[in-house]
Amino acid sequence: MESQMIRPGHLTAHQTAQQLGITLDGVRQLVRRGRLTRSGGSPRQPWYAVQDVAALAAKRPTRSAA
């Protein structure tokens, strides 16, 4: 269950995964590789800064429908 009290300017892990079009495990891998840093929350329910997620989303290649 996600926290109801998230600070403005932050996303939950679920919201981050949705924004990036990846799974929760993909979010964990980005953190492990140092490409995304936690900016709050708890170890079990981390938050990520909207600016960091947006920067990652801008770097990701777009997939075109074939």
Side-chain angles (χ1 to χ4, degrees), residues 15-58:
Q15 292 168 331
T16 299
Q18 286 178 332
Q19 290 293 315
L20 296 175
I22 59 177
T23 64
L24 286 174
D25 189 50
V27 173
R28 286 188 284 271
Q29 291 298 320
L30 289 172
V31 171
R32 186 178 68 80
R33 293 178 181 149
R35 297 187 61 208
L36 181 64
T37 57
R38 295 177 180 138
S39 62
S42 67
R44 293 191 68 144
Q45 294 181 337
W47 300 341
Y48 303 96
V50 170
Q51 301 93 335
D52 294 345
V53 175
L56 267 178

